[in-house]
């Protein structure tokens, strides 16, 4: 059992296979305090760590210096206004204008399994692999019942936390801040790890020492966004890919978030994760309940790599619901970079014909097939076929593609409306806008006010009709702008501060409908590339388009960052044409294929027009994908070297769970003479097994490959932008 309650010293002990988390119910007032999170322990008697009676927790709750106690005792879920001056997890506004709220333990439930969250993406498991603790707490003066939920996924070393806040009193109040998790601990020479980015430069890694002050990342633009990942970790200063302690928090949510770490006197550290308090004012009437999204807590003693592998297993087995999660996805060809808006049925079929010959399995028709969408200045919202481009509608086109033995996929951007569109002519008030200001267009589009059910229903109906009109097996759901000018024509003033979260709930509702109505659909989410690449979206679709930058070299750091958190099987990656449309760089076709193979794999080019020498490589690449995808998709991922750090070369590998097969990728970005040979020491193999290495006639033991390594490149070696992929198999 992953969770035990010890009545003798009022301790809850949460155990995963390799970590322990301890909560203590303290004193007569039953404060909920955080005692320990780290290496797995037998003992549950760690209350002494709370330093009661010593500085800084100098006095007991009822002593003359209650404030000293209130501000310093380590808390599971800090609340506002009662003397803890660090980051709060919960704050309210009452009728009388005050904001203080407390939290005292009342009762608890421990059970096998885990409940689903209604309307929100969430982790799931079985009675065999997850145990849940509900710590039911109360705040007597307000009548709030605050339940801290902990689900322990033993097999993946993950603890999922969320909070359920019920107004059990008789006074309506506002939640002004309702985070999902908080954790107090002492500094231990920690660094902070976050991911930042921009359009076409997603998921770049940032690491810096933890110092006094508040450090964090946040999104207030209505989606998890590209500026930062909804993720934060603290890790020992000497932690690397293989060793050292790492504590991470990730968020199963796709809207505004706040993740930060703060340090105050005595090197007291607090880490929090939750919905951003930006424009968050949630009216909670008596009897109503608010459920926060889930925060994912991970602890690793095997450095960043250990954290990565826990998260990968966790997302694959406990968050991605899609039946495709452990399946090989069809190799697709997408026409975006091939044609942009300039295509018709014949053009698409000519691409499909050539693609089919090379073994490509699905054609995806991207933006531009509907309404008057001949460029990006118009048409979003008009989800009906442009028959000038696709005569006779979708069915004849899809039938022709299917007749080639290929599947068909389609692009939508359901959350949007262009001011130049039929939809806008009919319903200008459907766009998010303030009553007395001109809203800001972005890419000539506004965001639809999906918090209005009639809007969401109408858009969904259009999407539904298109999908019913032909044999469509894949949808790319795009979302190409941020939310601002927040105003809804129908939300009452007292609920306007609920807009951002209600918007996300509406998006989730629409995706849920889509998957319910089309259970076999393969859904790939996208947001100008990876601007909504988060665990929340993975609950709906098993893959997300990673970046509009498809340059193989730029992709190394993007895929490195995303791969630190997300299973490679979720990372949308394609081979595109050169010179690359973003960078103007020309890389070998082989390298582009190898880099895209560390993701979902597909093509994004006009196969009828690329050089013959490139086209000739496609059948081999597709065959290769079929041979090795199971390793990438379901294996353990190890980083061997980071181009983002060494500026010269990149290397990573995946190993099957049974350690019988591995796939090693090496990319020589910049070649230099007179440097030592690049010897790569492999990881994650079985030292005692004997392996064959592709292209070599001798065998190696796992021990040799891991500690001796293999030489990939010599000072007079491969050249710039070259790559090698080696399939390693047990003999
Ligand atoms: C976004 C996506 C691209 C493409 C275009 C179409 O930028 O990330 O892949 O679909 O929209 O407009």
């Amino acid at each position: 059992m992953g969770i035990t309650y010890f009545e003798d010293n009022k301790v809850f002990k949460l155990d995963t296979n390799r970590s322990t988390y301890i909560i203590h119910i303290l004193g007569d007032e039953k404060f909920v305090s955080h005692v320990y999170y780290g290496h797995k322990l037998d003992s549950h008697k760690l209350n002494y760590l709370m330093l009661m009676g010593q500085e800084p927790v100098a006095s007991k709750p009822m002593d003359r210096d209650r404030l000293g106690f209130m501000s310093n005792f380590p808390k599971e879920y800090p609340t506002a206004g009662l003397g803890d001056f660090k980051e709060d997890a919960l704050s309210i506004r009452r009728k009388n204008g005050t904001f203080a709220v407390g939290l005292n333990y009342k009762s608890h439930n421990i059970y096998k399994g885990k409940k689903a969250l209604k309307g929100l993406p969430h982790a799931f498991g079985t009675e065999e692999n997850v145990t849940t603790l509900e710590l039911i707490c109360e705040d007597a003066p307000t009548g709030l019942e605050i339940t801290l939920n902990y689900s322990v996924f033993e097999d993946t070393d993950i603890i999922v936390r969320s909070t359920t806040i019920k107004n059990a009193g008789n006074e309506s109040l506002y939640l002004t801040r309702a985070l999902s998790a908080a954790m107090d601990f002492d500094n231990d020479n920690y660094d902070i790890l976050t991911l930042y980015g921009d359009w076409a430069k997603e998921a770049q890694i940032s690491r810096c020492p933890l110092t006094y002050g508040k450090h964090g990342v946040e999104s207030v633009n209505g989606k998890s966004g590209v500026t930062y990942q909804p993720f934060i970790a603290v890790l020992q200063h000497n932690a690397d890919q293989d060793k050292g302690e790492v504590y991470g928090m990730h968020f199963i949510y796709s809207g505004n978030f706040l993740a930060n770490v703060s340090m105050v006197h005595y090197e007291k550290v607090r880490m929090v994760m939750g919905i951003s308090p930006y424009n968050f004012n949630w009216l909670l009437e008596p009897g109503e309940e608010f459920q926060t999204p889930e925060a994912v807590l991970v602890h690793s003693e095997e450095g960043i790599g250990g954290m990565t592998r826990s998260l990968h297993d966790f997302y694959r087995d406990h968050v991605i619901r899609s039946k495709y999660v452990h399946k090989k996805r069809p190799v697709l060809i997408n026409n975006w970079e091939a044609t942009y808006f300039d295509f018709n049925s014949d053009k698409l079929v000519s691409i499909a014909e050539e693609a089919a010959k090379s073994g490509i399995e699905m054609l995806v028709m991207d933006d531009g097939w509907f309404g008057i969408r001949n460029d990006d200045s118009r048409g979003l919202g008009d989800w009906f076929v442009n028959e000038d481009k696709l005569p006779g509608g979708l069915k004849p086109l899809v039938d022709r593609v299917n007749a080639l033995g290929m599947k068909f996929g389609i692009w939508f951007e359901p959350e949007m409306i262009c001011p130049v569109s039929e939809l806008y002519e009919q319903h200008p008030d459907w766009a998010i806008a303030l009553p007395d200001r001109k809203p800001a267009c972005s890419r000539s589009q506004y965001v639809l006010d999906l918090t209005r059910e009639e809007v969401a229903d109408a858009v969904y109906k259009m999407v539904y009709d298109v999908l019913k009109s032909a044999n469509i097996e894949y949808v790319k759901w795009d979302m190409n702008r941020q939310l601002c000018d927040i105003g809804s024509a129908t939300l009452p003033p007292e609920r306007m501060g609920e807009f951002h979260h209600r918007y996300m709930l509406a998006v989730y509702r629409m995706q849920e409908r889509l998957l319910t109505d089309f259970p076999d659909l393969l859904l790939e989410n996208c947001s100008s590339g990876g601007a909504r690449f988060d665990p929340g979206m993975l609950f709906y679709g098993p893959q997300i388009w990673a970046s509009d930058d498809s340059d193989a070299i730029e992709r190394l750091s993007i895929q490195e960052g995303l791969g630190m958190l997300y299973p490679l099987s979720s990372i949308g990656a394609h081979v595109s044409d050169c010179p690359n449309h973003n960078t103007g760089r020309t890389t070998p076709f082989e390298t582009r294929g190898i880099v895209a193979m560390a993701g979902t794999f597909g093509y994004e080019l006009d196969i009828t027009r690329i050089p013959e020498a490139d086209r000739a490589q496609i059948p081999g690449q597709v065959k290769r994908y079929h041979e090795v995808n199971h390793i990438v998709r379901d294996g353990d991922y190890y980083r061997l070297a980071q181009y983002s750090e060494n500026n010269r070369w990149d290397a990573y590998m995946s190993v099957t769970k049974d350690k019988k097969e591995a796939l090693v990728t090496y990319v020589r970005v910049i070649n230099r003479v007179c440097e030592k040979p690049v010897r790569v020491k492999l990881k994650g193999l079985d030292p005692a097994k004997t392996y064959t290495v592709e292209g070599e006639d001798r065998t190696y033991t796992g021990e040799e490959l891991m500690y001796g390594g293999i030489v990939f490149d010599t000072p007079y070696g491969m050249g710039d932008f070259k790559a090698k992929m080696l399939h390693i198999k047990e003999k």
Side-chain angles (χ1 to χ4, degrees):
M1 186 80 159
I3 301 176
T4 321
Y5 177 58
F6 295 90
E7 176 63 37
D8 58 346
N9 60 349
K10 309 261 182 295
V11 153
F12 294 93
K13 183 165 180 280
L14 285 57
D15 291 309
T16 71
N17 284 348
R18 291 181 294 181
S19 66
T20 291
Y21 188 106
I22 296 179
I23 302 164
H24 173 51
I25 306 302
L26 175 69
D28 296 342
E29 291 180 75
K30 300 187 176 164
F31 295 111
V32 183
S33 50
H34 179 75
V35 178
Y36 174 85
Y37 186 29
H39 181 85
K40 184 161 185 170
L41 302 175
D42 285 335
S43 168
H44 64 279
K45 297 184 177 165
L46 267 80
N47 300 11
Y48 66 87
L49 287 175
M50 293 192 55
L51 303 180
M52 297 299 294
Q54 295 172 40
E55 293 290 352
V57 189
S59 46
K60 301 241 164 27
M62 295 320 289
D63 286 356
R64 63 179 275 276
D65 194 2
R66 182 177 171 88
L67 177 54
F69 167 79
M70 291 304 278
S71 60
N72 285 312
F73 90 89
K75 299 169 188 70
E76 274 300 315
Y77 196 69
T79 58
L82 301 178
D84 183 318
F85 304 111
K86 302 188 287 296
E87 191 86 29
D88 298 319
L90 181 67
S91 188
I92 62 174
R93 187 155 45 81
R94 298 176 68 176
K95 268 216 175 87
N96 65 10
T98 62
F99 69 97
V101 57
L103 183 102
N104 309 88
Y105 166 86
K106 198 166 98 183
S107 62
H108 69 265
N109 299 316
I110 296 175
Y111 55 87
K112 288 188 169 178
K114 176 181 178 300
K115 290 180 189 156
L117 300 191
K118 212 169 143 260
L120 278 170
H122 56 267
F124 53 81
T126 62
E127 294 197 351
E128 279 69 56
N129 56 30
V130 54
T131 315
T132 297
L133 162 67
E134 294 170 351
L135 270 183
I136 301 156
C137 307
E138 62 187 343
D139 179 46
T142 55
L144 282 180
E145 185 182 278
I146 303 150
T147 303
L148 309 182
N149 307 298
Y150 302 79
S151 290
V152 176
F153 292 82
E154 292 171 60
D155 53 351
T156 53
D157 290 306
I158 296 284
I159 297 175
V160 167
R161 286 189 58 179
S162 77
T163 307
T164 316
I165 303 154
K166 183 172 177 186
N167 187 345
N170 43 29
E171 171 197 325
S172 56
L173 50 80
Y174 285 96
L175 303 177
T176 54
R177 189 181 177 90
L179 304 189
S180 299
M183 199 164 63
D184 283 352
F185 47 95
D186 294 338
N187 186 24
D188 186 12
N189 198 16
Y190 286 133
D191 282 355
I192 301 178
L193 183 69
T194 54
L195 298 168
Y196 69 95
D198 201 339
W199 172 75
K201 203 166 184 62
E202 290 82 352
Q204 306 294 304
I205 295 167
S206 161
R207 182 173 177 169
C208 60
L210 169 61
T211 55
Y212 283 100
K214 205 179 269 185
H215 320 269
V217 290
E218 184 171 16
S219 168
V220 298
N221 66 34
K223 52 183 180 176
S224 51
V226 72
T227 314
Y228 303 110
Q229 263 291 320
F231 164 82
I232 196 159
V234 294
L235 63 172
Q236 287 173 329
H237 187 64
N238 63 356
D240 58 19
Q241 279 296 324
D242 307 306
K243 62 170 193 331
E245 273 198 302
V246 185
Y247 295 88
M249 279 194 189
H250 206 184
F251 202 27
I252 309 184
Y253 189 60
S254 315
N256 290 347
F257 71 87
L258 171 79
N260 77 40
V261 176
S262 47
M263 185 159 81
V264 298
H265 54 269
Y266 295 102
E267 295 190 54
K268 291 276 160 207
V269 180
R270 175 169 292 166
M271 188 169 171
V272 299
M273 174 66 83
I275 292 180
S276 164
Y278 177 84
N279 184 40
F280 179 82
N281 277 282
W282 195 275
L283 177 61
L284 208 59
E285 301 278 15
E288 284 183 351
E289 204 171 87
F290 181 82
Q291 172 63 51
T292 74
E294 291 180 336
V296 176
L297 274 60
V298 56
H299 171 257
S300 157
E301 290 174 285
E302 286 173 24
I304 298 168
M307 173 187 78
T308 295
R309 287 181 288 281
S310 278
L311 289 174
H312 284 195
D313 285 342
F314 174 69
Y315 289 128
R316 281 188 296 225
D317 293 339
H318 300 295
V319 172
I320 303 177
R321 288 179 296 175
S322 168
K323 64 181 189 191
Y324 298 105
V325 60
H326 293 294
K327 290 203 178 124
K328 193 155 52 182
R329 321 288 156 75
V331 177
L332 66 81
I333 184 157
N334 177 305
N335 75 307
W336 177 240
E337 287 196 26
T339 65
Y340 295 104
F341 294 98
D342 185 16
F343 63 88
N344 57 27
S345 294
D346 288 343
K347 176 69 206 171
L348 294 176
V349 171
S350 73
I351 291 177
E353 277 168 354
E354 195 56 51
K357 282 190 223 156
S358 300
I360 295 174
E361 298 155 306
M362 178 160 74
L363 175 78
V364 175
M365 178 174 68
D366 211 279
D367 193 357
W369 55 267
F370 50 91
I372 45 164
R373 185 86 170 160
N374 292 322
D375 56 46
D376 69 7
S377 71
R378 61 193 69 210
L380 292 174
D382 295 342
W383 301 111
F384 45 82
V385 172
N386 176 342
E387 297 218 12
D388 291 340
K389 285 185 177 173
L390 313 181
L394 263 178
K395 180 133 183 13
L397 168 65
V398 178
D399 288 350
R400 284 167 79 188
V401 173
N402 286 168
L404 295 165
M406 288 177 82
K407 297 175 191 291
F408 186 87
I410 196 168
W411 179 97
F412 283 103
E413 198 179 353
E415 299 164 61
M416 298 296 154
I417 181 167
C418 282
V420 183
S421 65
E422 284 185 24
L423 191 67
Y424 193 79
E425 263 170 40
Q426 291 156 12
H427 302 287
D429 66 310
W430 281 13
I432 297 173
L434 292 158
D436 42 9
R437 288 173 205 275
K438 186 174 158 49
C441 257
S442 173
R443 206 191 190 208
S444 304
Q445 62 201 59
Y446 298 134
V447 185
L448 282 166
D449 181 358
L450 297 179
T451 67
R452 293 171 63 174
E453 250 171 58
E454 74 275 25
V455 178
D457 280 351
V459 177
Y460 181 72
K461 168 108 185 33
M462 285 189 269
V463 173
Y464 177 91
D465 287 346
V466 171
L467 293 180
K468 278 285 179 199
S469 72
N471 180 26
I472 299 171
E473 299 179 70
Y474 159 108
V475 162
K476 177 176 173 188
W477 177 308
D478 208 340
M479 197 286 187
N480 281 319
R481 62 158 291 174
Q482 301 154 319
L483 275 60
C484 63
D485 302 296
I486 301 305
S488 165
T490 55
L491 262 188
E494 68 276 13
R495 296 223 177 250
M496 207 59 90
E498 301 175 9
F499 186 88
H500 280 109
H501 184 55
R502 281 182 182 272
Y503 179 84
M504 268 333 300
L505 295 177
V507 172
Y508 291 145
R509 215 162 25 236
M510 249 168 108
Q511 295 221 340
E512 192 72 50
R513 274 175 96 173
L514 184 70
L515 297 171
T516 308
D517 289 341
F518 302 95
D520 295 329
L521 193 73
L522 172 58
L523 175 63
E524 175 155 353
N525 274 296
C526 170
S527 179
S528 310
R532 206 163 56 184
F533 204 126
D534 59 62
M537 295 320 286
L538 284 183
F539 186 67
Y540 301 91
Q543 58 197 60
I544 303 176
W545 180 231
S547 178
D548 281 349
D549 194 337
S550 55
D551 176 284
I553 303 306
E554 296 295 293
R555 273 296 182 120
L556 292 176
S557 60
I558 295 169
Q559 293 177 193
E560 179 198 345
L562 289 173
M564 183 190 279
L565 307 180
Y566 301 99
L568 303 189
S569 60
S570 69
I571 301 177
H574 298 165
V575 176
S576 63
D577 202 3
C578 277
N580 181 270
H581 294 195
N582 278 303
T583 59
R585 182 182 289 129
T586 296
T587 49
F589 200 78
E590 187 186 5
T591 300
R592 287 177 255 160
I594 287 176
V595 172
M597 242 172 258
T600 56
F601 195 65
Y603 294 85
E604 182 117 2
L605 41 72
D606 186 346
I607 191 171
T608 67
R609 291 172 55 181
I610 56 171
E612 183 50 43
D614 290 353
R615 191 166 43 241
Q617 292 187 45
I618 295 179
Q621 289 180 338
V622 172
K623 183 165 168 274
R624 183 82 152 154
Y625 164 80
H626 287 296
E627 282 162 10
V628 299
N629 177 254
H630 63 286
I631 312 175
V632 175
R633 192 180 66 234
D634 292 327
D636 288 329
Y637 175 65
Y638 293 85
R639 290 294 316 182
L640 306 175
Q642 281 75 252
Y643 165 60
S644 60
E645 285 172 12
N646 66 29
N647 289 317
R648 285 165 24 240
W649 54 284
D650 209 58
Y652 45 85
M653 65 188 288
S654 295
V655 186
T656 54
K657 294 277 174 195
D658 60 11
K659 297 186 184 293
K660 289 184 173 174
E661 279 184 276
L663 188 73
V664 187
T665 299
Y666 167 76
V667 183
R668 165 52 94 168
V669 182
I670 300 295
N671 204 8
R672 296 223 177 91
V673 294
C674 298
E675 283 196 346
K676 67 176 187 214
V678 177
R679 185 205 303 265
V680 180
K681 293 181 184 172
L682 305 190
K683 297 178 186 174
L685 299 173
D686 179 344
K689 281 195 193 321
T690 302
Y691 293 96
T692 57
V693 173
E694 189 176 351
E696 297 199 30
D697 21 0
R698 58 156 290 184
T699 58
Y700 297 88
T701 61
E703 185 187 64
E704 286 164 349
L705 292 171
M706 290 198 290
Y707 301 100
I710 39 181
V711 173
F712 261 94
D713 202 358
T714 69
Y716 304 98
M718 293 167 65
D720 291 344
F721 308 143
K722 298 278 177 56
K724 228 185 225 178
M725 197 162 78
L726 294 183
H727 192 173
I728 292 178
K729 290 187 200 164
E730 185 184 13
K731 190 170 159 60

